[in-house]
């Protein structure tokens, strides 16, 4: 019902009362008051303000001391005072909190407002003191100071929206004319409430649509900007800008310096500053807090415990091949910044894949040259020097043979993972070291212009392998530098033998050389492993025959006895036997060998025989590829 229709209905209703005194000024006053309610709906105002206005209008038009508008609570089980005039705020709070008008009384005497709401008829209380049905609300009536009240339902289309309650300090009869006028006012109030609610829902719908439209516009703009970012980074890839070009493009887009580091070495491979800023990237030994190696998107970290940075992995499949570093925290990055960073890592991965593809050809040629060189392949001997020169190597200048192997937790350091790390290090040298995979070990031929360079490279390689898997046991073996083609096969055999020996001795975690293996390193340099076998067998045959016939363990006991520096108690503890048993076995071994372990020369020969036997045990594996 519109406001104009409501006013017309009020005028008709007024005339229908057939009052004796048809005072035009009184009708005008009523129409003006009702018009204020209609104007409030059209402005519009908050529902609470409108309800206060309805209560104030009823008080002014009919001279009541207090008025209130009650509406159902969200549960629909009680009526609460939502608008009032003349009532104290404490009274309103007390009624709503402690004495709400219950619509479901459960057998108790319903309140006047409840009866009016449910019956759709006006309910009068002529004397709140004398009316026994009003006893439950007598206290609040006395506190507020009213003696009579009337509750009129707010009806719209036959449905009750609430009640209009009017209170008087003195006893009042609420005659038919007064009651009918209140009912007419309640009808207008009901229409106003419905209209106000519709306007509120309409306003909420408009606000929701406005927010949705703004969100769509924001998303559209974000997509447009993302497309622009994608076009710029794609242009870098199409123009072959490389990782440097990606870093420069991202620095310009985000207004931040960008650094790209290799994995697992942590070496800086590209950098781009912004406004003169120096690109920052953690050094290989920097402390990085909060870095989750398994994280596949940008994350916040702290470098050296004071510098906040954002780092994003560059992935090729499931392998992290590089990382992009930018100063700041993720909170400083907008959604578009994060998206640009993610796209930059994708383009960077493509650039690294392109360079890797080009390197694969070189690595294949490198592996072929190295394989022919280390095996001493006579068919390839005439072309080896020329093929190596094409790769930047003069095989007549000093080169060291490095053999690397490792065992990671959970298979983290597979041979191919070790190969990838060695190639990553080799690609940063000029010329690139020759690298190939032999069995489960990785072999590298490194220029050794400086005597200390092979050991430094081996230690650096070990550091990178440990970075790839901190729990791994990593060994890198070095053979002395070679200066002739014929030097390389035996150098490889010795380095690989040193690696195998370190593993067999349980010390496969470090850099080993022939010198660091002592007597074993010296024996590894014997060209014919068969000579070692024959020497060991000639000296140890009596023990072996006795062990085979009698089932004794004389050779093992003698070996452990020497390893424990002739300490009987330590030997017994290692073999889990009594010390007297060790003493008896040693004396019996001395009798069979015709020597005494107290003689230095005999002890030295015995040690050589046992060591030769250990070296010979790893020698068969040196010829397998």
């Amino acid at each position: 019902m519109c406001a104009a229709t409501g006013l017309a209905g009020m005028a008709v209703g007024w005339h229908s009362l057939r009052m004796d005194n048809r005072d035009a000024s009184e009708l005008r006053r009523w129409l003006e008051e009702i018009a204020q309610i209609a104007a409030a709906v059209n402005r519009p105002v908050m529902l609470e303000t409108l309800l206060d206005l309805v209560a104030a209008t009823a008080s002014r038009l009919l001279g009541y001391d207090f008025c209130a508008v009650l509406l159902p609570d969200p549960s629909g089980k009680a009526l609460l005072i939502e608008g009032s005039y003349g009532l104290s705020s404490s009274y309103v709070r007390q009624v709503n909190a402690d004495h709400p008008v219950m619509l479901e009384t459960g057998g108790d005497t319903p309140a006047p407002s409840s009866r009016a709401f449910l019956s759709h008829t006006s309910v009068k209380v002529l004397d709140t003191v004398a009316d026994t049905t009003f006893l439950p609300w007598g206290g609040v009536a006395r506190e507020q100071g009213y003696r009579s009240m009337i509750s009129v339902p707010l009806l719209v289309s036959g449905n009750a929206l609430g009640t209009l309650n009017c209170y008087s300090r003195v006893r009042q009869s609420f005659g038919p004319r007064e009651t009918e006028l209140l009912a007419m006012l309640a009808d207008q109030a009901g229409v106003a409430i419905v209209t106000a609610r519709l306007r509120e829902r309409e306003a909420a719908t408009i606000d929701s649509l406005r927010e949705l439209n703004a969100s769509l516009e924001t998303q559209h703009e974000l997509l447009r900007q993302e497309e622009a970012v994608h076009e710029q980074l794609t242009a870098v890839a199409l123009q072959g800008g490389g990782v440097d070009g990606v870093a420069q493009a991202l620095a310009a887009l985000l207004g931040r310096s960008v650094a790209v580091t290799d994995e697992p070495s942590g070496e800086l491979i590209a950098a781009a500053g912004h406004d003169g800023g120096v690109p920052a990237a953690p050094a290989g030994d920097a402390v990085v807090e909060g870095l989750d190696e398994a994280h596949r998107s940008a994350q916040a970290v702290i470098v050296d415990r004071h510098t906040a940075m954002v780092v994003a992995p560059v992935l090729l499949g499931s392998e992290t091949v590089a990382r992009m570093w930018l100063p700041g925290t993720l909170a400083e990055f907008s959604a578009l910044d994060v998206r640009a960073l993610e796209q930059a890592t994708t383009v960077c991965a493509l650039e690294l894949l392109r360079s890797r593809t080009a390197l694969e050809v070189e690595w294949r040629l490198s592996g072929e040259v190295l394989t022919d060189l280390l095996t001493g392949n006579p068919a390839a001997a005439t072309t080896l020097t020329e093929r190596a020169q094409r790769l930047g190597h003069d095989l007549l200048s000093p080169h060291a043979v490095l053999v690397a192997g490792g065992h990671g937790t959970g298979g983290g350091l597979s041979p191919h993972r070790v190969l990838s790390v060695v190639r990553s290090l080799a690609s940063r040298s000029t010329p690139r070291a020759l690298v190939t995979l032999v069995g489960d070990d990785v072999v590298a031929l490194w220029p050794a212009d400086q005597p200390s360079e092979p050991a430094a490279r081996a230690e650096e390689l070990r550091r990178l392998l440990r970075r790839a898997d901190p729990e791994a046991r990593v060994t890198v073996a070095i053979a002395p530098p070679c200066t002739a083609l014929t030097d390389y096969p035996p150098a490889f055999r010795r380095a690989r033998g040193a690696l195998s020996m370190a593993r067999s001795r349980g010390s496969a975690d470090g850099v080993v050389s022939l010198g660091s293996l002592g007597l074993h390193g010296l024996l590894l340099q014997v060209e014919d492993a068969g000579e070692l076998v024959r020497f060991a067998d000639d000296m140890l045959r009596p023990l072996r025959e006795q062990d085979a016939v009698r089932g004794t363990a004389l050779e093992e006991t003698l070996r452990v006895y020497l390893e424990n520096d002739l300490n009987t108690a330590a030997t017994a503890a290692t073999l889990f036997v009594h010390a007297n048993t060790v003493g008896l076995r040693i004396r019996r071994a001395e009798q069979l060998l015709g020597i005494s372990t107290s003689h230095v020369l005999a002890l030295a020969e015995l040690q050589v025989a046992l060591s030769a036997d250990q070296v010979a045990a790893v020698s068969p594996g040196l010829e397998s590829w």
Side-chain angles (χ1 to χ4, degrees):
M1 183 185 297
C2 65
T5 304
L7 291 175
M10 173 63 73
V12 172
W14 183 279
H15 287 287
S16 68
L17 293 176
R18 299 177 181 176
M19 296 178 292
D20 295 335
N21 182 14
R22 299 174 181 274
D23 190 346
S25 63
E26 182 69 10
L27 174 59
R28 187 180 302 110
R29 186 169 74 88
W30 270 78
L31 294 176
E32 288 175 352
E33 292 285 353
I34 299 300
Q36 290 185 24
I37 296 177
V41 173
N42 292 328
R43 276 198 294 270
V45 297
M46 298 291 293
L47 181 60
E48 181 181 353
T49 303
L50 177 63
L51 298 179
D52 288 342
L53 178 60
V54 169
T57 300
S59 294
R60 287 196 300 269
L61 288 177
L62 293 169
Y64 298 122
D65 297 301
F66 324 108
C67 281
V69 178
L70 284 71
L71 301 179
D73 67 0
S75 69
K77 296 180 179 180
L79 293 174
L80 302 179
I81 299 175
E82 301 291 353
S84 64
Y85 175 81
L87 296 175
S88 66
S89 57
S90 61
Y91 173 81
V92 173
R93 285 194 302 270
Q94 183 179 2
V95 169
N96 286 342
D98 302 330
H99 302 284
V101 178
M102 304 305 298
L103 295 176
E104 298 178 0
T105 59
D108 297 333
T109 303
S113 302
S114 176
R115 282 183 282 161
F117 182 86
L118 296 174
S119 66
H120 293 188
T121 59
S122 300
V123 175
K124 306 172 186 177
V125 180
L126 303 182
D127 190 336
T128 59
V129 177
D131 192 334
T132 57
T133 63
F134 198 77
L135 287 178
W137 301 277
V140 292
R142 288 191 298 272
E143 180 182 343
Q144 182 60 37
Y146 61 84
R147 190 68 178 269
S148 297
M149 69 161 290
I150 183 172
S151 182
V152 182
L154 303 175
L155 299 177
V156 175
S157 300
N159 296 316
L161 301 180
T163 63
L164 172 62
N165 291 4
C166 301
Y167 310 90
S168 175
R169 288 192 177 94
V170 298
R171 294 185 66 225
Q172 194 160 336
S173 60
F174 303 110
R177 176 177 178 276
E178 184 177 357
T179 302
E180 191 169 355
L181 286 172
L182 270 176
M184 290 166 47
L185 179 59
D187 288 343
Q188 304 307 310
V191 172
I193 291 171
V194 170
T195 304
R197 284 177 171 173
L198 288 174
R199 288 188 178 277
E200 284 187 349
R201 285 197 290 269
E202 181 184 55
T205 301
I206 292 173
D207 288 342
S208 177
L209 291 173
R210 186 179 292 112
E211 291 177 0
L212 179 60
N213 184 61
S215 175
L216 289 174
E217 290 180 352
T218 301
Q219 291 180 34
H220 176 73
E221 177 62 18
L222 185 60
L223 288 173
R224 188 191 65 77
Q225 294 176 2
E226 285 185 5
E227 185 177 354
V229 169
H230 177 72
E231 289 178 354
Q232 292 184 52
L233 292 173
T234 302
V236 172
L238 293 175
Q239 294 166 9
V243 179
D244 279 321
V246 176
Q248 292 169 9
L250 184 62
L253 285 168
L254 302 189
R256 297 173 183 270
S257 63
V258 177
V260 184
T261 58
D262 175 67
E263 279 293 312
S265 69
E267 297 292 332
L268 185 68
I269 57 177
H274 176 71
D275 291 341
V278 178
D285 57 351
V287 177
V288 180
E289 299 178 0
L291 179 62
D292 182 359
E293 298 284 354
H295 208 63
R296 290 295 180 261
S297 58
Q299 58 180 307
V301 296
I302 301 296
V303 179
D304 287 330
R305 302 187 178 180
H306 60 79
T307 303
M309 299 195 78
V310 172
V311 57
V314 179
L315 302 173
L316 279 179
S318 61
E319 181 184 2
T320 299
V321 295
R323 296 187 189 276
M324 304 191 82
W325 303 83
L326 296 87
T329 64
L330 275 177
E332 300 172 7
F333 282 60
S334 67
L336 181 62
D337 292 342
V338 174
R339 189 76 185 108
L341 177 56
E342 291 174 348
Q343 290 190 19
T345 59
T346 301
V347 178
C348 187
L350 292 175
E351 290 299 309
L352 289 173
L353 178 61
R354 176 158 37 195
S355 63
R356 279 193 171 193
T357 302
L359 278 174
E360 283 299 325
V361 176
E362 185 174 341
W363 290 131
R364 179 176 58 80
L365 296 175
S366 168
E368 291 174 355
V369 170
L370 191 52
T371 299
D372 289 340
L373 180 65
L374 299 182
T375 57
N377 183 1
T382 56
T383 61
L384 267 177
T385 302
E386 181 182 352
R387 289 158 58 198
Q389 284 178 343
R390 292 198 197 105
L391 297 172
H393 290 267
D394 178 6
L395 296 180
L396 299 182
S397 63
H399 282 73
V401 177
L402 277 62
V403 182
H407 300 281
T409 57
L413 272 182
S414 66
H416 287 284
R417 180 61 172 153
V418 176
L419 178 64
S420 176
V421 174
V422 176
R423 283 179 171 178
S424 175
L425 178 61
S427 64
R428 296 197 300 275
S429 65
T430 304
R432 294 187 180 92
L434 304 179
V435 180
T436 193
L437 187 64
V438 177
D440 289 339
D441 301 321
V442 177
V443 184
L445 192 66
W446 225 288
D449 297 331
Q450 301 296 326
S452 60
E453 187 171 357
R457 289 296 187 182
E459 189 57 48
E460 184 178 7
L461 178 56
R462 181 172 174 272
R463 178 182 65 82
L464 295 181
L465 290 168
R466 290 296 297 273
R467 179 185 172 120
D469 184 351
E471 302 299 323
R473 293 175 60 81
V474 179
T475 307
V476 182
I478 314 172
C482 307
T483 56
L485 295 182
T486 54
D487 293 343
Y488 292 100
F492 164 63
R493 184 182 62 79
R494 292 162 187 164
R496 201 175 185 205
L499 180 62
S500 299
M501 182 58 64
R503 287 172 175 166
S504 68
R505 295 171 61 180
S507 56
D509 193 21
V511 176
V512 297
S513 62
L514 296 179
S516 67
L517 292 175
L519 179 59
H520 292 91
L522 179 63
L523 294 175
L524 278 169
Q525 298 183 56
V526 176
E527 292 295 332
D528 186 0
E531 289 293 334
L532 299 177
V533 174
R534 286 188 289 274
F535 174 77
D537 190 57
D538 287 345
M539 185 166 188
L540 301 174
R541 186 180 297 111
L543 300 184
R544 293 173 177 175
E545 290 176 350
Q546 180 77 1
D547 289 342
V549 173
R550 299 290 182 89
T552 55
L554 299 180
E555 182 180 358
E556 179 187 13
T557 303
L558 189 59
R559 187 186 304 278
V560 175
Y561 185 60
L562 266 64
E563 289 175 353
N564 283 283
D565 298 326
L566 311 185
N567 187 312
T568 302
T571 304
T574 302
L575 297 176
F576 299 101
V577 297
H578 195 276
N580 290 339
T581 302
V582 172
L584 292 173
R585 290 179 181 177
I586 295 301
R587 285 195 292 274
R588 180 57 179 158
E590 289 176 334
Q591 291 171 1
L592 291 171
L593 295 175
I595 63 169
S596 172
T597 54
S598 62
H599 294 165
V600 175
L601 181 58
L603 191 62
E605 291 177 346
L606 186 60
Q607 182 65 66
V608 170
L610 291 171
S611 297
D613 195 46
Q614 288 180 308
V615 171
V618 302
S619 294
L622 301 183
E623 306 305 325
S624 61
W625 287 77

